[in-house]
Short mmCIF file of all heavy atoms in Angstrom, two decimals:
data_model
loop_
_atom_site.label_atom_id
_atom_site.label_comp_id
_atom_site.label_asym_id
_atom_site.label_seq_id
_atom_site.Cartn_x
_atom_site.Cartn_y
_atom_site.Cartn_z
N ILE J 948 -36.95 6.62 -21.66
CA ILE J 948 -36.63 5.25 -21.26
C ILE J 948 -36.01 5.32 -19.88
O ILE J 948 -35.03 6.04 -19.66
CB ILE J 948 -35.66 4.59 -22.26
CG1 ILE J 948 -36.27 4.58 -23.67
CG2 ILE J 948 -35.33 3.18 -21.82
CD1 ILE J 948 -35.32 4.11 -24.74
N ASN J 949 -36.58 4.58 -18.94
CA ASN J 949 -36.15 4.69 -17.55
C ASN J 949 -36.07 3.31 -16.91
O ASN J 949 -36.89 2.44 -17.19
CB ASN J 949 -37.14 5.57 -16.76
CG ASN J 949 -36.74 5.80 -15.33
OD1 ASN J 949 -37.00 4.96 -14.47
ND2 ASN J 949 -36.11 6.92 -15.06
N ARG J 950 -35.07 3.11 -16.06
CA ARG J 950 -34.94 1.85 -15.33
C ARG J 950 -34.63 2.15 -13.87
O ARG J 950 -33.79 3.00 -13.55
CB ARG J 950 -33.83 0.98 -15.92
CG ARG J 950 -33.62 -0.34 -15.13
CD ARG J 950 -32.59 -1.22 -15.80
NE ARG J 950 -32.24 -2.40 -15.00
CZ ARG J 950 -32.92 -3.54 -14.97
NH1 ARG J 950 -34.02 -3.65 -15.71
NH2 ARG J 950 -32.53 -4.55 -14.23
N VAL J 951 -35.32 1.41 -13.00
CA VAL J 951 -35.07 1.48 -11.56
C VAL J 951 -34.74 0.07 -11.08
O VAL J 951 -35.44 -0.89 -11.41
CB VAL J 951 -36.31 2.00 -10.80
CG1 VAL J 951 -36.07 1.94 -9.29
CG2 VAL J 951 -36.64 3.43 -11.22
N GLN J 952 -33.67 -0.03 -10.30
CA GLN J 952 -33.33 -1.30 -9.67
C GLN J 952 -33.06 -1.05 -8.20
O GLN J 952 -32.18 -0.27 -7.85
CB GLN J 952 -32.10 -1.95 -10.32
CG GLN J 952 -31.71 -3.28 -9.68
CD GLN J 952 -30.68 -4.04 -10.47
OE1 GLN J 952 -30.71 -4.06 -11.70
NE2 GLN J 952 -29.74 -4.69 -9.77
N ASN J 953 -33.84 -1.71 -7.36
CA ASN J 953 -33.76 -1.48 -5.93
C ASN J 953 -33.38 -2.77 -5.22
O ASN J 953 -34.12 -3.75 -5.24
CB ASN J 953 -35.12 -0.97 -5.41
CG ASN J 953 -35.09 -0.64 -3.93
OD1 ASN J 953 -34.03 -0.64 -3.30
ND2 ASN J 953 -36.24 -0.38 -3.35
N ASP J 954 -32.22 -2.80 -4.60
CA ASP J 954 -31.82 -3.88 -3.71
C ASP J 954 -32.10 -3.41 -2.29
O ASP J 954 -31.40 -2.56 -1.76
CB ASP J 954 -30.33 -4.22 -3.89
CG ASP J 954 -30.05 -4.83 -5.24
OD1 ASP J 954 -30.80 -5.74 -5.64
OD2 ASP J 954 -29.10 -4.40 -5.92
N PHE J 955 -33.13 -3.99 -1.70
CA PHE J 955 -33.68 -3.49 -0.45
C PHE J 955 -32.78 -3.83 0.73
O PHE J 955 -31.81 -4.59 0.61
CB PHE J 955 -35.07 -4.11 -0.26
CG PHE J 955 -35.91 -3.48 0.80
CD1 PHE J 955 -36.09 -2.11 0.87
CD2 PHE J 955 -36.57 -4.27 1.75
CE1 PHE J 955 -36.88 -1.54 1.85
CE2 PHE J 955 -37.35 -3.73 2.72
CZ PHE J 955 -37.51 -2.35 2.78
N VAL J 956 -33.14 -3.28 1.90
CA VAL J 956 -32.35 -3.51 3.12
C VAL J 956 -32.50 -4.94 3.63
O VAL J 956 -31.74 -5.38 4.48
CB VAL J 956 -32.73 -2.50 4.22
CG1 VAL J 956 -32.36 -1.09 3.83
CG2 VAL J 956 -34.22 -2.60 4.56
N ILE J 957 -33.51 -5.66 3.13
CA ILE J 957 -33.65 -7.09 3.43
C ILE J 957 -32.94 -7.85 2.32
O ILE J 957 -33.24 -7.67 1.14
CB ILE J 957 -35.12 -7.51 3.50
CG1 ILE J 957 -35.85 -6.73 4.59
CG2 ILE J 957 -35.24 -9.01 3.75
CD1 ILE J 957 -35.38 -7.01 6.00
N ASP J 958 -32.02 -8.69 2.68
CA ASP J 958 -31.24 -9.43 1.68
C ASP J 958 -32.15 -10.19 0.72
O ASP J 958 -33.13 -10.82 1.13
CB ASP J 958 -30.30 -10.41 2.40
CG ASP J 958 -29.26 -10.99 1.47
OD1 ASP J 958 -28.85 -10.30 0.52
OD2 ASP J 958 -28.85 -12.16 1.69
N GLN J 959 -31.84 -10.12 -0.55
CA GLN J 959 -32.52 -10.80 -1.65
C GLN J 959 -33.85 -10.18 -2.03
O GLN J 959 -34.47 -10.62 -3.00
CB GLN J 959 -32.70 -12.30 -1.37
CG GLN J 959 -31.40 -13.05 -1.17
CD GLN J 959 -31.60 -14.55 -1.02
OE1 GLN J 959 -32.53 -15.11 -1.58
NE2 GLN J 959 -30.72 -15.19 -0.25
N ASP J 960 -34.34 -9.19 -1.30
CA ASP J 960 -35.55 -8.48 -1.73
C ASP J 960 -35.17 -7.46 -2.79
O ASP J 960 -34.33 -6.58 -2.54
CB ASP J 960 -36.21 -7.79 -0.54
CG ASP J 960 -37.03 -8.74 0.31
OD1 ASP J 960 -36.84 -9.96 0.16
OD2 ASP J 960 -37.85 -8.28 1.11
N GLN J 961 -35.77 -7.57 -3.96
CA GLN J 961 -35.39 -6.72 -5.08
C GLN J 961 -36.60 -6.23 -5.86
O GLN J 961 -37.65 -6.88 -5.87
CB GLN J 961 -34.49 -7.49 -6.05
CG GLN J 961 -33.07 -7.73 -5.58
CD GLN J 961 -32.19 -8.27 -6.70
OE1 GLN J 961 -32.67 -8.89 -7.64
NE2 GLN J 961 -30.90 -8.03 -6.60
N LEU J 962 -36.42 -5.11 -6.50
CA LEU J 962 -37.38 -4.58 -7.47
C LEU J 962 -36.63 -4.16 -8.71
O LEU J 962 -35.57 -3.51 -8.62
CB LEU J 962 -38.15 -3.39 -6.89
CG LEU J 962 -39.12 -2.65 -7.84
CD1 LEU J 962 -40.34 -2.13 -7.07
CD2 LEU J 962 -38.44 -1.49 -8.57
N LYS J 963 -37.15 -4.53 -9.87
CA LYS J 963 -36.61 -4.09 -11.15
C LYS J 963 -37.77 -3.58 -11.99
O LYS J 963 -38.75 -4.29 -12.20
CB LYS J 963 -35.89 -5.24 -11.87
CG LYS J 963 -34.68 -5.77 -11.13
CD LYS J 963 -34.05 -6.95 -11.86
CE LYS J 963 -32.87 -7.50 -11.08
NZ LYS J 963 -32.27 -8.69 -11.76
N ARG J 964 -37.65 -2.34 -12.44
CA ARG J 964 -38.74 -1.74 -13.21
C ARG J 964 -38.19 -1.03 -14.44
O ARG J 964 -37.28 -0.20 -14.34
CB ARG J 964 -39.54 -0.75 -12.36
CG ARG J 964 -40.70 -0.13 -13.11
CD ARG J 964 -41.65 0.62 -12.18
NE ARG J 964 -41.04 1.76 -11.53
CZ ARG J 964 -41.07 1.99 -10.22
NH1 ARG J 964 -41.64 1.12 -9.42
NH2 ARG J 964 -40.50 3.06 -9.71
N ASN J 965 -38.75 -1.34 -15.59
CA ASN J 965 -38.42 -0.68 -16.85
C ASN J 965 -39.65 0.10 -17.32
O ASN J 965 -40.77 -0.44 -17.32
CB ASN J 965 -38.01 -1.70 -17.92
CG ASN J 965 -36.77 -2.46 -17.53
OD1 ASN J 965 -35.74 -1.88 -17.21
ND2 ASN J 965 -36.86 -3.79 -17.53
N ASN J 966 -39.43 1.33 -17.71
CA ASN J 966 -40.53 2.20 -18.11
C ASN J 966 -40.19 2.88 -19.43
O ASN J 966 -39.15 3.54 -19.55
CB ASN J 966 -40.79 3.25 -17.01
CG ASN J 966 -42.09 3.99 -17.22
OD1 ASN J 966 -42.33 4.59 -18.27
ND2 ASN J 966 -42.94 3.99 -16.20
N ILE J 967 -41.05 2.69 -20.41
CA ILE J 967 -40.89 3.36 -21.71
C ILE J 967 -42.12 4.20 -21.96
O ILE J 967 -43.25 3.69 -21.94
CB ILE J 967 -40.71 2.34 -22.85
CG1 ILE J 967 -39.48 1.47 -22.60
CG2 ILE J 967 -40.58 3.05 -24.19
CD1 ILE J 967 -39.32 0.35 -23.62
N LEU J 968 -41.93 5.48 -22.18
CA LEU J 968 -43.04 6.39 -22.45
C LEU J 968 -42.77 7.14 -23.75
O LEU J 968 -41.69 7.72 -23.94
CB LEU J 968 -43.22 7.38 -21.29
CG LEU J 968 -44.41 8.34 -21.42
CD1 LEU J 968 -45.07 8.55 -20.05
CD2 LEU J 968 -44.00 9.70 -22.00
N PHE J 969 -43.75 7.12 -24.64
CA PHE J 969 -43.65 7.86 -25.89
C PHE J 969 -44.89 8.74 -26.03
O PHE J 969 -46.02 8.28 -25.84
CB PHE J 969 -43.56 6.92 -27.10
CG PHE J 969 -43.53 7.64 -28.42
CD1 PHE J 969 -42.39 8.37 -28.80
CD2 PHE J 969 -44.62 7.62 -29.28
CE1 PHE J 969 -42.37 9.05 -30.01
CE2 PHE J 969 -44.59 8.29 -30.49
CZ PHE J 969 -43.46 9.01 -30.86
N LYS J 970 -44.65 9.98 -26.36
CA LYS J 970 -45.73 10.95 -26.46
C LYS J 970 -45.51 11.80 -27.71
O LYS J 970 -44.39 12.28 -27.94
CB LYS J 970 -45.77 11.83 -25.21
CG LYS J 970 -46.99 12.73 -25.08
CD LYS J 970 -47.01 13.39 -23.71
CE LYS J 970 -48.27 14.21 -23.50
NZ LYS J 970 -48.30 14.81 -22.16
N ALA J 971 -46.54 11.98 -28.52
CA ALA J 971 -46.38 12.73 -29.76
C ALA J 971 -47.69 13.39 -30.12
O ALA J 971 -48.78 12.95 -29.71
CB ALA J 971 -45.90 11.82 -30.89
N GLY J 972 -47.60 14.46 -30.91
CA GLY J 972 -48.79 15.16 -31.38
C GLY J 972 -48.54 15.84 -32.70
O GLY J 972 -47.40 16.20 -33.03
N LYS J 973 -49.60 16.01 -33.45
CA LYS J 973 -49.49 16.63 -34.78
C LYS J 973 -50.77 17.39 -35.08
O LYS J 973 -51.88 16.90 -34.81
CB LYS J 973 -49.27 15.55 -35.85
CG LYS J 973 -49.19 16.07 -37.27
CD LYS J 973 -47.91 16.86 -37.51
CE LYS J 973 -47.80 17.29 -38.98
NZ LYS J 973 -46.58 18.10 -39.23
N LYS J 974 -50.62 18.58 -35.66
CA LYS J 974 -51.76 19.38 -36.09
C LYS J 974 -51.76 19.46 -37.60
O LYS J 974 -50.76 19.84 -38.22
CB LYS J 974 -51.71 20.77 -35.48
CG LYS J 974 -52.94 21.62 -35.81
CD LYS J 974 -52.92 22.96 -35.10
CE LYS J 974 -54.20 23.73 -35.40
NZ LYS J 974 -54.20 25.06 -34.76
N LEU J 975 -52.90 19.08 -38.19
CA LEU J 975 -53.07 19.12 -39.64
C LEU J 975 -54.29 19.98 -39.95
O LEU J 975 -55.44 19.52 -39.86
CB LEU J 975 -53.26 17.72 -40.21
CG LEU J 975 -52.11 16.73 -39.98
CD1 LEU J 975 -52.55 15.32 -40.32
CD2 LEU J 975 -50.90 17.14 -40.80
N GLY J 976 -54.05 21.23 -40.26
CA GLY J 976 -55.17 22.14 -40.50
C GLY J 976 -55.98 22.34 -39.24
O GLY J 976 -55.46 22.76 -38.20
N ASN J 977 -57.26 21.97 -39.33
CA ASN J 977 -58.14 22.12 -38.17
C ASN J 977 -58.20 20.84 -37.32
O ASN J 977 -58.95 20.79 -36.36
CB ASN J 977 -59.56 22.47 -38.62
CG ASN J 977 -59.63 23.87 -39.21
OD1 ASN J 977 -58.76 24.70 -38.95
ND2 ASN J 977 -60.66 24.13 -40.01
N PHE J 978 -57.43 19.86 -37.69
CA PHE J 978 -57.45 18.59 -36.98
C PHE J 978 -56.17 18.41 -36.18
O PHE J 978 -55.08 18.71 -36.68
CB PHE J 978 -57.60 17.43 -37.98
CG PHE J 978 -57.62 16.08 -37.33
CD1 PHE J 978 -58.73 15.63 -36.65
CD2 PHE J 978 -56.50 15.25 -37.40
CE1 PHE J 978 -58.75 14.37 -36.06
CE2 PHE J 978 -56.50 14.00 -36.81
CZ PHE J 978 -57.63 13.56 -36.13
N ARG J 979 -56.33 17.94 -34.96
CA ARG J 979 -55.16 17.71 -34.10
C ARG J 979 -55.29 16.34 -33.45
O ARG J 979 -56.39 15.93 -33.02
CB ARG J 979 -55.04 18.78 -33.02
CG ARG J 979 -53.84 18.57 -32.10
CD ARG J 979 -53.62 19.69 -31.11
NE ARG J 979 -52.38 19.46 -30.42
CZ ARG J 979 -51.18 19.86 -30.86
NH1 ARG J 979 -51.11 20.53 -32.00
NH2 ARG J 979 -50.08 19.61 -30.19
N ILE J 980 -54.19 15.64 -33.36
CA ILE J 980 -54.16 14.34 -32.70
C ILE J 980 -52.97 14.27 -31.76
O ILE J 980 -51.87 14.73 -32.10
CB ILE J 980 -54.15 13.19 -33.73
CG1 ILE J 980 -54.30 11.84 -33.02
CG2 ILE J 980 -52.89 13.23 -34.59
CD1 ILE J 980 -54.59 10.70 -33.96
#
Side-chain angles (χ1 to χ4, degrees):
I948 302 173
N949 183 277
R950 178 176 173 83
V951 175
Q952 180 169 322
N953 183 9
D954 292 313
F955 193 50
V956 294
I957 300 294
D958 192 31
Q959 299 185 31
D960 280 16
Q961 287 190 334
L962 176 146
K963 297 178 182 178
R964 182 168 64 231
N965 298 306
N966 192 304
I967 300 174
L968 184 142
F969 177 71
K970 190 172 184 178
K973 178 70 176 178
K974 185 176 183 182
L975 299 168
N977 291 340
F978 179 75
R979 180 174 187 87
I980 187 168

